[in-house]
Amino acid sequence: MAAMLPLIRKWAEFVKLSHTVFALPFALAAMAVAARANRGWPGWRTFALILAAMVCARTCAMSFNRIVDRKFDALNPRTAKRHLPTGQISLFTAVMLCALSAGGLLAASFLLNPLCFFLSPLALVVICFYSLTKRFTDYTHVFLGLALALAPVGAWLAVKGSDLSRDEIVQMSVLAAVVVLWLVGFDIIYALQDYDFDRVHGLRSLVVAWGPKNALQAAFLAHLVMCGLLLAFGLLCGFRFAYLIGWLIIVGCLVLEHWIARRRGLNWINIAFFRLNALVSAVFLVVTVAEVVFQGGFRLR
């Protein structure tokens, strides 16, 4: 086991497994809402398949990103020590990982229900396509947001399949929009680190197109609308006190994130990007599950 730990750590770092804390809580929260008739629990089989699909989808997307961006990563001082540029992982191995994880997503979707299986190839296209967008559009952040928003949508469909009411479709759509806007906001902040490099090498983003100051204003606007939709999601689901407390914490995290991005140096970006947004997703999961498991007055169903 001691000999295996460095290998496990290397592959976890290669696909940024720690960043699963962004999408996974939203997926699990959506799963809980979709299964609220059973106090948020869809059963061990569905739960395990959702986890498998999430891990496979994210591994496929990240390995594809590392493969297609390996030349830019080698030139960028911030990313030059990544695994492909330094030869820690071979290109062939990375391609195999990408292909196997894509197959894993298809298999998990097949075992979930026909609708998930039918949509899984489209999901693969969306989550991988983002990695190419910096080459031809300034709105690369939106494509990444769409890719991340597939997590709660996929988890919801994994539980319900095609048996969705009109209210559930509205709730699911609002939650997906929340994730897109949340991602757009914090990915713009994250892209500040590569502003000079992207501009020199012809890579596109809203930070390059609009400049850091204007891009930060767009990020703030995205998070402002996101907060409104997040509150609307709670109202649509009939959530009460616990959700409102969580919403206030999330708003506070986002305000602090923008304060850090505007007032601190680039060395603080990782704090704003990782820790605060990890807290946002974790708080959302906790309060959503609490509202689903307990009725608004915290009485067991």
Side-chain angles (χ1 to χ4, degrees):
M1 286 298 297
M4 289 289 291
L5 285 177
L7 183 63
I8 295 172
R9 186 180 300 113
K10 179 176 72 172
W11 284 105
E13 290 174 352
F14 175 66
V15 296
K16 288 289 184 182
L17 190 62
S18 59
H19 287 189
T20 306
V21 297
F22 298 142
L24 185 58
F26 278 93
L28 295 180
M31 177 197 76
V33 177
R36 66 190 308 173
N38 193 37
R39 284 195 286 174
W41 183 243
W44 281 107
R45 181 180 182 276
T46 300
F47 174 72
L49 288 172
I50 289 173
L51 282 182
M54 279 289 302
V55 171
C56 288
R58 201 183 174 286
T59 300
C60 177
M62 284 303 300
S63 54
F64 183 81
N65 177 269
R66 296 295 187 253
I67 291 167
V68 299
D69 280 356
R70 63 189 186 279
K71 294 182 179 178
F72 292 115
D73 287 344
L75 296 173
N76 189 339
R78 186 179 67 83
T79 58
K81 293 183 179 180
R82 284 179 176 171
H83 298 80
L84 284 179
T86 58
Q88 299 176 60
I89 290 176
S90 69
L91 178 60
F92 175 78
T93 307
V95 171
M96 288 299 297
L97 177 65
C98 184
L100 288 173
S101 54
L105 173 61
L106 294 174
S109 301
F110 177 79
L111 294 172
L112 280 165
N113 57 60
L115 180 61
C116 286
F117 180 62
F118 177 76
L119 294 175
S120 57
L122 177 61
L124 283 172
V125 171
V126 173
I127 63 177
C128 291
F129 181 67
Y130 150 73
S131 297
L132 305 174
T133 55
K134 290 188 77 172
R135 294 157 174 81
F136 62 86
T137 178
D138 300 328
Y139 294 92
T140 177
H141 321 281
V142 177
F143 286 95
L144 181 57
L146 291 171
L148 200 72
L150 292 182
V153 171
W156 205 306
L157 295 179
V159 175
K160 300 291 289 187
S162 57
D163 185 25
L164 290 170
S165 68
R166 182 180 302 175
D167 288 344
E168 287 179 312
I169 293 174
V170 173
Q171 293 164 5
M172 184 176 64
S173 301
V174 171
L175 182 57
V178 164
V179 174
V180 171
L181 291 168
W182 175 55
L183 190 285
V184 168
F186 78 68
D187 193 53
I188 287 175
I189 293 174
Y190 187 72
L192 293 172
Q193 299 175 100
D194 294 327
Y195 171 62
D196 293 325
F197 178 84
D198 289 350
R199 188 174 54 174
V200 170
H201 291 83
L203 295 175
R204 300 173 66 173
S205 71
L206 291 179
V207 179
V208 174
W210 296 348
K213 184 177 179 180
N214 291 332
L216 277 174
Q217 291 176 345
F220 182 78
L221 178 60
H223 280 162
L224 187 64
V225 178
M226 170 235 171
C227 289
L229 289 177
L230 192 64
L231 183 60
F233 175 76
L235 294 174
L236 288 169
C237 293
F239 295 158
R240 300 182 187 176
F241 184 72
Y243 188 85
L244 180 60
I245 295 299
W247 180 80
L248 291 172
I249 294 173
I250 289 171
V251 171
C253 288
L254 294 176
V255 169
L256 180 57
E257 180 178 357
H258 284 273
W259 181 85
I260 290 174
R262 292 170 183 270
R263 301 297 182 183
R264 298 286 185 170
L266 291 178
N267 57 316
W268 283 74
I269 290 295
N270 280 330
I271 296 177
F273 171 74
F274 186 79
R275 297 181 186 178
L276 288 173
N277 286 296
L279 182 59
V280 165
S281 58
V283 168
F284 177 75
L285 172 61
V286 169
V287 298
T288 300
V289 170
E291 289 283 3
V292 169
V293 174
F294 301 93
Q295 293 179 338
F298 290 95
R299 297 184 299 273
L300 279 172
R301 288 181 184 275

